[in-house]
Amino acid sequence: MTGPHARVRVEGADPYDVVIGAGVLDELPGLLGDRARTVAVVHAEGLAGFARPVCEAVARAGYAAHALPVPDGEAAKEAGVLAGLWSRFAGLGMTRTDAVVGVGGGATTDLAGFAAASWLRGVPAVLVPTTLLGMVDAAVGGKTGINIPEGKNLVGAFHPPAGVLCELSSLATMPREDYASGLAEVVKAGFIADPRILELVEADPAGAARPDGPHTRELVERAVRVKAEVVSADLRESGLREILNYGHTLAHAIEKAEDYRFRHGHAVAIGMVYAAELARLAGRLKRDDVERHRAVLRSVGLPVSYRADAWPELRAAMAIDKKSRGATLRFVVLDGVAEPGRLEGPDEDLLAAAYREVGR
């Protein structure tokens, strides 16, 4: 954790670095390559002020920088917005050697990455996540995509970026609840792989819940390192990478039920408690570990329950979860802290019983 920047390598067929710290935008020109001429800077509308220095850094390096605003949040991840970007890329005359820079939260980087993956069958993308959730989850791993009415992230592509720049100063203006939402993915990394994350949060939950907390960079770096190690070994979610979906089966169902107006991290927090209860009822996880889920998540301001009457709707939504195989529902569960496993085809009574522990 020493030095001005932390650097995490994501290995694979197309390796890249995730750079974490203050002043990391200086590395942007070096990631765009010497063949690019035009750079499309896709940014959330509300981040025009942050996108400006990104465009300036690109322009100073001799590229033609074009700021392309898109709607804030999940409203960006729609087919119409994606088609609009394709038209704008065509208008800029973007070729296969040109590049896309995605600036914003996870929704924006998901969209920008998919636009890059699909334009001319793939152009380079550099991602500049500006939220905690974007830094530790969406921007790392090469998964890109959009939502459709039938579900979240059902249309997309694997497209590893040329690099990811996590400018920690961008976290300072995040609303408290949005920052807490990102902490859900940090805590998830602690439960599935790195218990030191949990210890840091438990030792100082108030500090963990602040962007200027004493361990912010370490928490971000540790969460990124967990994801990097997993996706380096399994880019296309053929096995190991599934553990990153801990809590996400119920979470995605909640998001769909809420028409994607529910914070992703809040849904993941509830989903992790549900998965923990499922594992406990299946005889695989101790009650103390389940209660640790609730305690850690509550300590940083995250929810651990959802509407009791929502189960029929949530169960129907889970049927088309991406982790399902045919008619078999699959869950990532824990056999202990940092001991992830899978639960396939659980009994319907077990599923409902676990939800009763979460419903309120």
Side-chain angles (χ1 to χ4, degrees):
M1 312 296 169
T2 61
H5 299 161
R7 191 177 298 270
V8 178
R9 187 70 165 173
V10 183
E11 301 291 351
D14 299 297
Y16 58 95
D17 286 341
V18 181
V19 187
I20 304 159
V24 298
L25 293 183
D26 293 343
E27 303 210 15
L28 180 55
L31 297 173
L32 296 172
D34 55 11
R35 299 171 64 199
R37 296 174 305 165
T38 300
V39 177
V41 180
V42 177
H43 68 87
E45 287 175 334
L47 288 174
F50 188 80
R52 192 171 301 114
V54 174
C55 290
E56 290 170 353
V58 171
R60 281 196 303 272
Y63 305 97
H66 300 271
L68 305 182
V70 295
D72 293 323
E74 291 291 317
K77 292 178 61 172
E78 295 185 356
V81 177
L82 176 64
L85 283 179
W86 290 333
S87 295
R88 291 151 95 178
F89 292 171
L92 294 174
M94 286 182 62
T95 69
R96 190 167 286 173
T97 55
D98 292 324
V100 173
V101 175
V103 180
T108 306
T109 56
D110 278 359
L111 170 73
F114 190 30
S118 51
W119 180 251
L120 299 177
R121 299 186 177 88
V123 299
V126 177
L127 303 181
V128 185
T130 60
T131 65
L132 182 58
L133 182 61
M135 291 179 186
V136 302
D137 184 37
V140 180
K143 286 170 73 171
T144 71
I146 60 171
N147 306 327
I148 59 174
E150 289 74 17
K152 184 179 174 72
N153 295 328
L154 292 180
V155 180
F158 291 99
H159 188 64
V164 178
L165 302 178
C166 299
E167 176 58 53
L168 295 182
S169 66
S170 70
L171 301 176
T173 59
M174 286 191 67
R176 183 180 180 280
E177 288 203 341
D178 289 342
Y179 191 77
S181 177
L183 281 173
E185 292 286 354
V186 176
V187 170
K188 179 201 74 177
F191 276 116
I192 64 172
D194 184 357
R196 178 59 181 158
I197 291 174
L198 305 179
E199 294 167 2
L200 288 169
V201 174
E202 288 167 330
D204 184 10
R210 299 196 327 265
D212 62 346
H215 303 298
T216 297
R217 193 179 106 178
E218 182 175 0
L219 288 170
V220 172
E221 182 179 348
R222 284 184 176 276
V224 168
R225 198 169 295 282
V226 167
K227 185 157 190 181
E229 289 175 356
V230 172
V231 301
S232 293
D234 179 18
L235 171 65
R236 296 185 177 273
E237 205 168 77
S238 59
L240 176 65
R241 185 166 179 163
E242 281 190 331
I243 70 171
L244 297 173
N245 287 317
Y246 184 55
H248 284 57
T249 299
L250 185 70
H252 285 166
I254 290 173
E255 289 177 289
K256 185 175 186 296
E258 296 280 349
D259 197 24
Y260 305 111
R261 292 189 294 266
F262 201 84
R263 288 178 177 85
H264 176 70
H266 286 49
V268 169
I270 299 165
M272 284 192 284
V273 176
Y274 176 73
E277 289 287 4
L278 196 58
R280 179 183 68 82
L281 293 172
R284 296 177 60 167
L285 189 65
K286 296 178 182 177
R287 182 179 291 275
D288 286 351
D289 289 329
V290 179
E291 291 310 313
R292 192 180 189 189
H293 280 67
R294 288 190 170 91
V296 171
L297 293 166
R298 281 178 175 144
S299 76
V300 293
L302 286 163
V304 295
S305 60
Y306 190 65
R307 293 185 290 110
D309 63 356
W311 176 242
E313 182 180 5
L314 299 180
R315 178 62 186 91
M318 286 194 294
I320 60 168
D321 185 79
K322 298 191 300 298
K323 292 170 292 303
S324 298
R325 300 293 183 268
T328 302
L329 194 59
R330 293 154 56 95
F331 286 86
V332 178
V333 295
L334 299 181
D335 294 308
V337 174
E339 297 178 32
R342 292 166 186 78
L343 180 63
E344 299 195 22
D347 184 83
E348 290 295 329
D349 290 340
L350 184 67
L351 293 172
Y355 190 75
R356 285 194 291 272
E357 299 296 324
V358 173
R360 56 167 167 76

